[in-house]
Amino acid sequence: MAGRSADVAVDGYLRRHGVLRVIDVCRRAKCTLLRVPTASARVAVGSVDVARATVITVGIGETLIQLGLTPVVAVIPGLATALGVGAADAAWVLTVFILALAGTLLVCGRLGDLIGHRRMFGGGTIVYAFGAILGGLSTGLEMLLVARGLQGVGAAMVSGNNLAILTAAVPIPQQGRAIAVVATTSLVFAVAGAGFGTLVLAVGGWPLLFLAPAPLALWAAWRSRDLPDAEPRDRGGVDWLGAALLAITITVLAVALNHPHGTTTTSAMPIFHVALPVIAMITALLFVLLERRLREPLMDWRQLRHRGFAAAIGVNSVLHLTMMATMYLGPVLVVRGLGRSTTAGGMLMVVVQISAIGTAFLGGWLYDRTRAPWLRPAAAGILTAGFVLWAFSGIAGSYTAMLAVGLFTGLGTGVLLAVNNTVIMGSLPDDFRGVASGMLETTRHFAHAFGVTIPTAILSLVVAGLAGAGGNEVALRWGFFWSCLGMAAFAGLGIVLALVPDRRG
């Protein structure tokens, strides 16, 4: 009763001052979740449920990104056969999308600060749709790679601005739940995407893999007309040279880590193990030096002086690195190390993702109600323990134990995803929402790119070292063991970073 009276008093004050209009998005629970500015651009007062519409539209944008990723991850071998190319070549269909997405996210977030996040989001959905249609109409791998690069840029325009739009529409006390809804949407389509990709290839229609998201992208473009947005601010230009150096760094590192270890000749190894990493280090150093000298840098290093924001960005990197490692390592062990079917490997991933889906909203709800600083380190601790338990489950060869640990690990993933995203978007001033959103999504997809290559490198080294010692399955189990311990070390770093308090904590 006291809480209800307080709500009434606050709402009356806000209405008298014309600041907020209250909307109820959970009538059955009799609670008030979302409040939005009455001055939101292009939206007449009382004509649209702005906050709910914003959550839906941003959720569609996140769905588009997942539909560009997970269906392709699940079907790379089959896609290679359909295109008549090798699996290594087909993998670039995924890699090009990720590189275009990660390499342009910061500049897209920056452009959102300058010309408006709504404009960038709407334009991104159109670019994405064009790339998807071009991909579906491709007649060969080269044309498909161009289309996927274009689709990745469109995804960056969406991803670099979606959370900035969301936090502009939803006040701080309800942002955790709103972001959790979007995070849950992402996790749901991460599960559905793999099944969709498998189904499409089963009926022999690989172009549908790329054509299917186009109508959804066009629908998002139409809905973006009513998105709320702050007035664009003239705060300088865009550091295009810095953007190019960042893109080169990410691309060169990806090529160095993604080369085929089994078929690369000895004479070519120095190129991948020495030359390309040195080039990446040089371009990264040039990027940092350039950015620190500019008055309006692409990556605002001043914001990284906020210890809470910088630490939360680090947690985000750890989270998505370990998430992608889970999606890769689990099925590899189940199919190749335990001799089970690909369906069993897929079921393991479904279990992990369902657990994460079920706990993402819980994490956002708890953080909205308590602002408890222990939520993030506790969730990162669950991830750390989960990888250690997975390592020993793999050595024991117990599929049942891996399923149980997968449920446990998903708990940490879901809570950490919702809470840490909320911390990131609330750690900087409102004028830098685009910077926060762009850095969040850049580190997310950069971590995705290396969430496969790092455990793969560990796995390959261990398997090669144990070749002939007990058979390939035994060697692979030990490779899985050390890969999981490596990921546990990363998750442990996440615990340390999560202990750094955020600005609003």
Side-chain angles (χ1 to χ4, degrees):
M1 181 65 70
R4 182 177 178 86
S5 300
D7 276 349
V8 170
V10 171
D11 291 344
Y13 174 85
L14 295 174
R15 288 193 184 95
R16 287 195 303 273
H17 289 77
V19 178
L20 299 174
R21 137 179 195 270
V22 180
I23 55 176
D24 183 0
V25 299
C26 58
R27 292 182 176 87
R28 291 185 180 181
K30 297 181 180 180
C31 63
T32 301
L33 292 182
L34 304 176
R35 297 176 172 89
V36 297
T38 56
S40 295
R42 300 170 56 87
V43 180
V45 176
S47 64
V48 179
D49 188 339
V50 182
R52 181 180 299 170
T54 299
V55 171
I56 292 172
T57 305
V58 169
I60 295 172
E62 191 61 36
T63 298
L64 291 174
I65 297 164
Q66 289 299 331
L67 290 179
L69 284 169
T70 53
V72 179
V73 173
V75 299
I76 285 177
L79 183 61
T81 301
L83 292 171
V85 300
D89 292 331
W92 280 100
V93 176
L94 173 66
T95 303
V96 165
F97 178 86
I98 294 178
L99 291 178
L101 174 54
T104 58
L105 267 170
L106 281 177
V107 72
C108 288
R110 174 65 176 159
L111 285 171
D113 286 334
L114 295 176
I115 67 174
H117 301 296
R118 178 179 58 80
R119 291 181 181 178
M120 288 295 294
F121 183 99
T125 56
I126 294 174
V127 172
Y128 182 101
F130 181 75
I133 294 170
L134 183 63
L137 298 178
S138 297
T139 56
L141 180 62
E142 293 78 10
M143 182 177 176
L144 180 57
L145 292 180
V146 172
R148 289 287 285 171
L150 188 63
Q151 195 177 7
V153 172
M157 295 171 68
V158 172
S159 189
N161 293 276
N162 57 3
L163 288 182
I165 293 171
L166 189 65
T167 52
V170 181
I172 289 174
Q174 289 81 39
Q175 284 178 7
R177 278 164 284 183
I179 291 176
V181 169
V182 175
T184 301
T185 300
S186 172
L187 293 170
V188 167
F189 278 92
V191 175
F196 171 73
T198 304
L199 177 63
V200 165
L201 282 191
V203 299
W206 71 263
L208 186 60
L209 192 67
F210 306 102
L211 287 171
L216 189 64
L218 294 175
W219 184 37
W222 180 78
R223 290 183 60 90
S224 70
R225 301 174 305 161
D226 295 321
L227 286 174
D229 199 6
E231 289 297 322
R233 296 177 179 270
D234 184 10
R235 299 207 316 260
V238 177
D239 175 20
W240 295 108
L241 178 57
L245 288 171
L246 178 62
I248 292 171
T249 301
I250 295 175
T251 302
V252 171
L253 272 177
V255 172
L257 291 173
N258 279 285
H259 73 277
H261 292 81
T263 59
T264 303
T265 62
T266 303
S267 60
M269 283 296 185
I271 297 176
F272 295 103
H273 293 170
V274 179
L276 292 182
V278 168
I279 292 173
M281 290 176 61
I282 292 173
T283 54
L285 179 61
L286 290 175
F287 171 73
V288 172
L289 292 176
L290 174 66
E291 294 293 290
R292 291 178 66 87
R293 292 172 62 89
L294 293 178
R295 185 175 181 181
E296 295 291 343
L298 178 65
M299 180 178 289
D300 196 335
W301 299 96
R302 294 170 300 177
Q303 305 312 317
L304 291 176
R305 295 172 185 169
H306 294 270
R307 293 176 63 243
F309 176 72
I313 288 294
V315 172
N316 188 61
S317 301
V318 168
L319 170 63
H320 289 282
L321 176 72
T322 55
M323 282 177 64
M324 188 58 72
T326 300
M327 294 179 65
Y328 169 72
L329 287 171
V332 165
L333 177 72
V334 169
V335 176
R336 295 176 55 194
L338 303 184
R340 290 180 174 263
S341 66
T342 54
T343 301
M347 182 57 65
L348 176 61
M349 288 303 93
V350 169
V351 167
V352 175
Q353 294 294 335
I354 288 177
S355 176
I357 291 169
T359 56
F361 189 83
L362 172 64
W365 179 79
L366 282 174
Y367 190 68
D368 280 345
R369 289 180 63 88
T370 67
R371 297 292 166 185
W374 55 264
L375 278 171
R376 289 191 302 154
I382 291 174
L383 279 179
T384 305
F387 274 107
V388 173
L389 292 173
W390 244 25
F392 287 99
S393 298
I395 286 294
S398 174
Y399 180 68
T400 301
M402 292 193 67
L403 287 173
V405 176
L407 279 172
F408 177 71
T409 304
L411 169 65
T413 298
V415 172
L416 189 57
L417 180 66
V419 176
N420 196 64
N421 282 4
T422 306
V423 170
I424 288 175
M425 295 308 299
S427 295
L428 296 183
D430 291 346
D431 288 352
F432 292 92
R433 284 195 183 107
V435 173
S437 180
M439 293 185 71
L440 185 155
E441 296 298 332
T442 296
T443 52
R444 169 191 173 189
H445 293 294
F446 189 84
H448 281 170
F450 296 104
V452 173
T453 54
I454 292 176
T456 297
I458 299 173
L459 194 67
S460 299
L461 287 172
V462 175
V463 170
L466 295 177
N472 290 334
E473 289 189 359
V474 172
L476 196 140
R477 289 186 190 182
W478 279 106
F480 176 84
F481 175 85
W482 288 108
S483 295
C484 283
L485 291 187
M487 292 303 103
F490 278 107
L493 175 61
I495 297 175
V496 176
L497 293 172
L499 289 170
V500 178
D502 66 276
R503 189 188 69 171
R504 297 183 308 176

